[in-house]
Amino acid sequence: MSRPIPKAAAVTAAVTLLAGLAAAPAQADTTGQRQRDFAAAAKEFGVPENILLGVSYLESRWDTNAGTPSTSAGYGPMHLTDLREAGVAGTHHDEGTEDARGDDARPAVHPEAGPAAPPPTLQTVDEAARLLRTDADTLRANPAQNIRGGAALLAKYHAGQSDWYDAVARYSGSADQAAAKTFADAVFDTIKTGVTRTTDDGQRVTLSPAPDLAVPQRAETPPSNVECPRRVTCESVPAPYQELPDDDYGNHDLADRPDSQKIDHIVIHDTEGYWANVLDLVQDPTYVSWHYSIRSADGLIAQHVPTKDVGWHAGNWYVNAKSIGIEHEGFAAKGTWYTEAMYRTSAKLVGYLARKYGIPLDRAHIIGHDNVPGTTPSTIPGMHWDPGPYWDWAHYFDLMGAPLGGFGLPGSSLVTIDPDFAKNQPAFTGCDGPGTPCVPRGSEAVVLHSAPDESSPLLVDAGLHPKGTASTMDVADVGSRVATGQQYAVAEVRGDWTAIWYLGQQGWFHNPRNARVAKPAIGWVVTPKPGLATVPVYGRAYPEPEAYPANIPAQAITPLPYTLAAGQKYSSGGTVGSEYYWATTFDAANHVVVKGKLKYVQIQFGHRIAFVKADDVRIVPAF
């Protein structure tokens, strides 16, 4: 029991305490300002607060994204669109020297389409500015005013209606009623379940769950001529399979997957162009192809190529023949961000396809175009690098119910890259021109150094930089960079620095105890068999020459300019058989899948995956 305080002493202590409180300045709660802004705007314009929060979440997850536009020219938490400010974009597959088909047996495909002008619709920032009697600059830059603008638009869309569902659907900006309803469905589902998160600028926002919320309508099920999950909006926009002059044809290959070949990968791309332009391109028989496109504003999915057939999308024929390609309306480097509506429908599509074809939901099999290896040394510098370092892989896998990282024991010799997306902001350059610093923003990428020191040079990528120069911080340079969800074998640990095996080198990254960017993992790693000093590394898993029929030329098994040396270890993505799809004629009856006896192991070798011959390596558990 404590002793009682004498009355005089208690009075003196109280006076002293009150004086101290009066002297100390009040600490404002800055982390709750965004929540208060939503509440104030909802009250001002008569919009239910949970509707306003739900719409904003499906657009931006309540983030400001450093004032940069989304992939569909939306700004701020409410995604007010301003296509004039966002400007003209590039076009799909219009940069680099990559041959989208990636098959040595056929001429390279290097289509050119010219710049893509933004569509003339979705200029909601002007309408919001008129309602608030302010200007577009203010609505783009000021989060509180942006929220007021979104609330004013919702109130206008709701005028004369009995419920908020149609107003929410209209807010999507979609002229497609089914896609607009899919957006509204996702908003109301979010309201029902609720969500709490901290935004990219440190604001804590909560949407309380409303499990009894009544939803007036539901989006239709997909039509029978598309391969899509339920409760998303899909349409068919077929890519043409068509004969062309000079014994050529386009723009994909007929096949019979998975009976003819197992589908091992789903490749995530961005379009580097706006929606209408991209759909025009995929319907051009002289252009390239992919299986699906997903629209930024509302998550509409368009299917172009049946999943049984082979698209020309990844720049590596082996990967093309074994994968499904999904394009997302967006840009890898222009300071833009991907909308929540697009993330959600894409996650549903990938989950559906993974279940259908038995594809593991991990980063060894759900890969970016930037993770696809070059086929030979000469093709490495021209390989594409979308969807870029601003694609949020951790959030994407959370939406698929397959969270990344955190499954190993402390001290494991294998790690999963898993930085805090919002706080991890590498100082990339080149987003808006060579050498120009990119706007600081959240990223899934972790940069590697040649020594445990931030001032040390980056690693050398002998394929990407054949002259032996160090990699750079250019946003397109993936030569010294790892991505969220990828797994690597630990080579060494020094204090707060961790080294991993990467392209035959030790790559160091800062991994302090209180801000981990990599988590312990469990899995399998490969290392050269005893007696082998080095092991060749390949960009494709092609059969041995003896496996080819007499009428089909054997494809070269060409090593990449890297080696896996004794003592080094790399994460295994599993053992695969050797295959080559011979498809060089319009008549699919002449297409042949060549399967060999050679076995390969897929590894996470650098930023991109690679393959080693199974006979060259041991596969051992990571401890």
Side-chain angles (χ1 to χ4, degrees), residues 228-414:
C228 278
R230 296 175 60 85
R231 292 198 57 210
V232 298
T233 301
C234 289
E235 63 180 15
S236 176
V237 182
Y241 187 72
Q242 183 176 321
E243 283 190 281
L244 300 171
D246 302 320
D247 294 324
D248 197 6
Y249 67 95
N251 61 12
H252 58 280
D253 277 293
L254 303 184
D256 190 26
R257 305 185 306 174
D259 291 340
S260 58
Q261 290 185 277
K262 185 178 182 296
I263 299 173
D264 289 331
H265 298 98
I266 296 174
V267 182
I268 304 301
H269 304 256
D270 74 57
T271 61
E272 296 299 319
Y274 290 107
W275 182 255
N277 178 256
V278 169
L279 294 195
D280 287 342
L281 294 176
V282 79
Q283 294 176 86
D284 181 350
T286 67
Y287 205 65
V288 297
S289 60
W290 50 96
H291 294 86
Y292 297 90
S293 296
I294 303 181
R295 189 160 64 192
S296 174
D298 52 19
L300 172 68
I301 300 171
Q303 184 172 10
H304 312 299
V305 177
T307 57
K308 72 179 185 63
D309 296 332
V310 176
W312 302 345
H313 60 93
N316 182 316
W317 185 242
Y318 175 81
V319 175
N320 278 340
K322 307 274 291 178
S323 70
I324 295 169
I326 304 177
E327 294 278 358
H328 298 76
E329 184 182 13
F331 312 95
K334 288 185 175 293
T336 55
W337 44 278
Y338 300 94
T339 64
E340 180 68 3
M342 185 164 65
Y343 274 128
R344 290 204 167 203
T345 56
S346 180
K348 290 177 181 177
L349 175 62
V350 170
Y352 160 82
L353 294 171
R355 290 188 297 272
K356 182 176 181 179
Y357 293 113
I359 302 170
L361 285 175
D362 59 38
R363 288 286 280 114
H365 299 89
I366 312 301
I367 61 176
H369 195 171
D370 56 340
N371 306 135
V372 176
T375 55
T376 62
S378 64
T379 65
I380 294 173
M383 293 297 289
H384 286 185
W385 52 277
D386 53 303
Y390 304 123
W391 178 269
D392 192 344
W393 285 106
H395 178 54
Y396 193 49
F397 273 77
D398 284 346
L399 290 172
M400 288 187 277
L404 300 169
F407 301 110
L409 296 175
S412 172
S413 61
L414 188 71

Side-chain angles (χ1 to χ4, degrees), residues 387-444:
Y390 304 123
W391 178 269
D392 192 344
W393 285 106
H395 178 54
Y396 193 49
F397 273 77
D398 284 346
L399 290 172
M400 288 187 277
L404 300 169
F407 301 110
L409 296 175
S412 172
S413 61
L414 188 71
V415 292
T416 301
I417 305 302
D418 189 24
D420 184 310
F421 184 86
K423 295 179 180 178
N424 181 52
Q425 299 186 359
F428 292 127
T429 63
C431 290
D432 296 305
T436 304
C438 299
V439 174
R441 51 170 313 176
S443 173
E444 50 81 56

Side-chain angles (χ1 to χ4, degrees), residues 557-595:
I557 304 176
T558 306
L560 300 178
Y562 317 105
T563 55
L564 195 168
Q568 298 180 7
K569 297 177 181 179
Y570 293 87
S571 174
S572 169
T575 301
V576 297
S578 53
E579 295 181 10
Y580 172 68
Y581 186 38
W582 173 257
T584 63
T585 64
F586 180 73
D587 185 357
N590 296 324
H591 297 180
V592 177
V593 177
V594 180
K595 297 190 178 185

Side-chain angles (χ1 to χ4, degrees), residues 109 121 204 212 231 248 348 360 402-403 482 498 573 597:
V109 179
T121 56
R204 190 70 173 169
D212 298 327
R231 292 198 57 210
D248 197 6
K348 290 177 181 177
V482 292
T498 299
K597 295 181 180 178

Side-chain angles (χ1 to χ4, degrees), residues 12-299:
T12 301
V15 171
T16 302
L17 176 61
L18 289 171
L21 290 174
Q27 297 296 314
D29 176 16
T30 57
T31 62
Q33 186 58 51
R34 182 90 18 94
Q35 185 89 52
R36 293 190 290 272
D37 290 340
F38 277 112
K43 183 177 180 180
E44 179 182 2
F45 293 97
V47 179
E49 187 175 346
N50 59 0
I51 294 289
L52 187 61
L53 285 163
V55 168
S56 178
Y57 189 85
L58 256 293
E59 296 284 19
S60 68
R61 298 177 73 212
W62 308 319
D63 288 338
T64 62
N65 288 286
T68 58
S70 77
T71 57
S72 49
Y75 291 82
M78 294 304 300
H79 197 255
L80 300 179
T81 52
D82 191 345
L83 292 157
R84 289 190 312 269
E85 184 71 15
V88 175
T91 56
H92 180 73
H93 291 301
D94 67 347
E95 295 181 358
T97 58
E98 180 186 273
D99 168 20
R101 190 160 49 205
D103 182 8
D104 297 345
R106 300 189 61 185
V109 179
H110 296 303
E112 295 183 4
T121 56
L122 296 181
Q123 192 67 26
T124 60
V125 72
D126 292 341
E127 188 176 7
R130 285 191 296 270
L131 292 170
L132 298 187
R133 297 182 180 180
T134 187
D135 55 79
D137 289 346
T138 299
L139 293 179
R140 288 195 307 269
N142 186 309
Q145 295 304 311
N146 184 277
I147 292 169
R148 290 184 67 235
L153 288 175
L154 276 169
K156 178 181 177 180
Y157 298 160
H158 179 256
Q161 299 184 34
S162 59
D163 60 65
W164 284 93
Y165 185 92
D166 289 337
V168 171
R170 183 177 173 186
Y171 195 95
S172 71
S174 177
D176 184 297
Q177 290 301 307
K181 289 179 180 179
T182 295
F183 175 85
D185 287 348
V187 169
F188 276 77
D189 285 345
T190 302
I191 296 170
K192 286 171 72 72
T193 59
V195 64
T196 296
R197 73 179 294 264
T198 300
T199 67
D200 59 355
D201 57 347
Q203 297 289 307
R204 190 70 173 169
V205 182
T206 295
L207 170 58
S208 299
D212 298 327
L213 178 72
V215 180
Q217 305 176 46
R218 307 305 294 179
E220 295 84 358
T221 56
S224 58
N225 64 337
V226 294
E227 300 166 274
C228 278
R230 296 175 60 85
R231 292 198 57 210
V232 298
T233 301
C234 289
E235 63 180 15
S236 176
V237 182
Y241 187 72
Q242 183 176 321
E243 283 190 281
L244 300 171
D246 302 320
D247 294 324
D248 197 6
Y249 67 95
N251 61 12
H252 58 280
D253 277 293
L254 303 184
D256 190 26
R257 305 185 306 174
D259 291 340
S260 58
Q261 290 185 277
K262 185 178 182 296
I263 299 173
D264 289 331
H265 298 98
I266 296 174
V267 182
I268 304 301
H269 304 256
D270 74 57
T271 61
E272 296 299 319
Y274 290 107
W275 182 255
N277 178 256
V278 169
L279 294 195
D280 287 342
L281 294 176
V282 79
Q283 294 176 86
D284 181 350
T286 67
Y287 205 65
V288 297
S289 60
W290 50 96
H291 294 86
Y292 297 90
S293 296
I294 303 181
R295 189 160 64 192
S296 174
D298 52 19

Side-chain angles (χ1 to χ4, degrees), residues 424-466:
N424 181 52
Q425 299 186 359
F428 292 127
T429 63
C431 290
D432 296 305
T436 304
C438 299
V439 174
R441 51 170 313 176
S443 173
E444 50 81 56
V446 173
V447 176
L448 301 178
H449 292 265
S450 54
D453 185 342
E454 292 284 359
S455 63
S456 65
L458 304 187
L459 301 182
V460 174
D461 183 331
L464 196 57
H465 302 286

